[in-house]
Amino acid sequence: MADVLKVATVQFEHRADDKQYNLGRVAHFVGQAAAAGARLVVCPEMCVVGYWHLRRHDVEALRALAEPVDGPSVSAVRSLAQQHGIGVGAGFLESDDGRLFNSYVMCLPDGSMHVHRKLHAFEHEAISSGDGYTVFDTPWGVRMAILICWDNNLVENVRACALAGASVLIAPHQTGGTASRSPHGMRPIPVEHWRNRHTDPAAIEREFRGPNGRAWLMRWLPARAHDNGLFVVFSNGVGRDDDEVRTGNAMVLDPYGRILAETWVAADKMVLADLDLGLIPLSTGRRWLAGRRPELYDILVRRFGTERDPRTARFATDPVDI
């Protein structure tokens, strides 16, 4: 295992349904990351086709956009990984045997690929949720996992990946500036702040750093890293995403929940960080994992009859009674 692993994480503004443009942005950042000596680069959720506008598409339009894992988009990402000799992650709309998935592929330089299907998909009633964790070994001797956006909000998912041996969590998102149902959750960002970002950069920066962006992430994202003793590589969209504004905030966190690198710039951007893998064995989270008492945790897997499917839970307007 390498002592230090250099990684890159990206935020960029996709164009809806424009695979050629979006893959061009992926290629741009892969080249940057490779030139900087990174061993892998993480791009956002669903960045190949775009994200929030998908909820307005009919099923036929979704099927026309979707591709199998061996389709041209993933093949292009795989070629970039092999050409530059680094791992490349990107989100896409997957089709498989008539079903659609919000999926993410990590292509490794040896040509191997690992695909994660979002476990809690809510974007469209025709997009199915995945049913398994994606934890894998890498050429650098580091075991990694992938969780997509809302997957990371459920603490059980990150814990399961850590227990499966993951030391690095790849966490692609499309978040920030959403219309939360919670009274103290995120709120939409006025689109004019994004349009005026060059003439009034302070206004959009306040939004990106405030409670609709970074400040919201800081309520929970560091805890995922700290409590499980792993690095988190957070990638996100930035800018217009249909009628919302994504806040970017690409960042890398260490096993103590400390931020190693981040950005709040209102633009396409890549950040780099060196992961000191020696921090993991005696990190607080790893020591806490060793102190678990599984015989107490039956309640975590028991069904109470109040469970909801991801779409119902995400868009709930009624109070939740557990």
Side-chain angles (χ1 to χ4, degrees), residues 226-259:
H226 173 273
D227 292 354
N228 296 288
L230 44 68
F231 291 93
V232 176
V233 185
F234 173 88
S235 175
N236 194 19
V238 71
R240 283 294 298 269
D241 186 10
D242 196 46
D243 60 352
E244 294 185 341
V245 177
R246 302 288 164 246
T247 58
N249 301 118
M251 67 177 73
V252 181
L253 300 96
D254 81 357
Y256 289 91
R258 301 179 302 173
I259 298 174

Side-chain angles (χ1 to χ4, degrees), residues 26-248:
V26 172
H28 168 78
F29 285 113
V30 171
Q32 272 197 359
R39 309 307 291 269
L40 78 157
V41 58
V42 177
C43 294
E45 172 187 14
M46 205 71 90
C47 62
V48 171
V49 297
Y51 180 70
W52 199 223
H53 75 287
L54 296 177
R55 75 194 194 283
R56 304 183 190 274
H57 280 341
D58 58 28
V59 176
E60 290 72 23
L62 290 180
R63 293 193 186 284
L65 278 173
E67 298 179 20
V69 172
D70 59 357
S73 293
V74 173
S75 296
V77 176
R78 186 182 184 211
S79 293
L80 287 169
Q82 292 177 298
Q83 174 188 345
H84 291 275
I86 67 173
V88 182
F92 69 107
L93 182 61
E94 181 189 358
S95 59
D96 180 36
D97 196 24
R99 301 177 72 195
L100 301 173
F101 298 95
N102 176 341
S103 294
Y104 194 88
V105 64
M106 174 54 68
C107 298
L108 297 176
D110 63 2
S112 62
M113 300 186 300
H114 301 278
V115 177
H116 178 69
R117 293 171 172 173
K118 190 173 184 178
L119 302 173
H120 305 274
F122 59 83
E123 298 80 13
H124 194 287
E125 59 189 9
I127 297 178
S128 300
S129 293
D131 58 5
Y133 295 109
T134 306
V135 183
F136 53 93
D137 294 319
T138 67
W140 313 290
V142 182
R143 196 158 167 81
M144 297 186 180
I146 303 169
L147 290 173
I148 300 172
C149 202
W150 203 34
D151 293 351
N152 293 278
N153 292 119
L154 279 79
V155 296
E156 295 90 345
N157 291 331
V158 183
R159 175 54 54 92
C161 290
L163 290 172
S167 297
V168 176
L169 175 62
I170 297 164
H173 283 64
Q174 292 287 348
T175 194
T178 68
S180 173
R181 298 297 198 273
S182 300
H184 301 291
M186 291 181 289
R187 294 292 179 266
I189 294 169
V191 174
E192 56 265 28
H193 286 341
W194 177 254
R195 291 198 193 105
N196 298 334
R197 64 191 181 279
H198 300 303
T199 56
D200 186 9
I204 192 67
E205 183 176 307
R206 281 195 300 270
E207 293 286 359
F208 280 20
R209 299 181 71 172
N212 299 318
R214 183 184 188 274
W216 172 74
L217 293 171
M218 291 301 100
R219 295 183 191 177
W220 62 273
L221 188 59
R224 300 297 181 269
H226 173 273
D227 292 354
N228 296 288
L230 44 68
F231 291 93
V232 176
V233 185
F234 173 88
S235 175
N236 194 19
V238 71
R240 283 294 298 269
D241 186 10
D242 196 46
D243 60 352
E244 294 185 341
V245 177
R246 302 288 164 246
T247 58

Side-chain angles (χ1 to χ4, degrees), residues 236-288:
N236 194 19
V238 71
R240 283 294 298 269
D241 186 10
D242 196 46
D243 60 352
E244 294 185 341
V245 177
R246 302 288 164 246
T247 58
N249 301 118
M251 67 177 73
V252 181
L253 300 96
D254 81 357
Y256 289 91
R258 301 179 302 173
I259 298 174
L260 299 179
E262 66 174 322
T263 182
W264 46 75
V265 66
D268 292 5
K269 182 71 173 178
M270 181 184 79
V271 296
L272 293 155
D274 290 323
L275 310 188
D276 179 0
L277 301 173
L279 292 176
I280 294 172
L282 283 176
S283 63
T284 308
R286 287 296 157 118
R287 290 186 293 108
W288 287 352

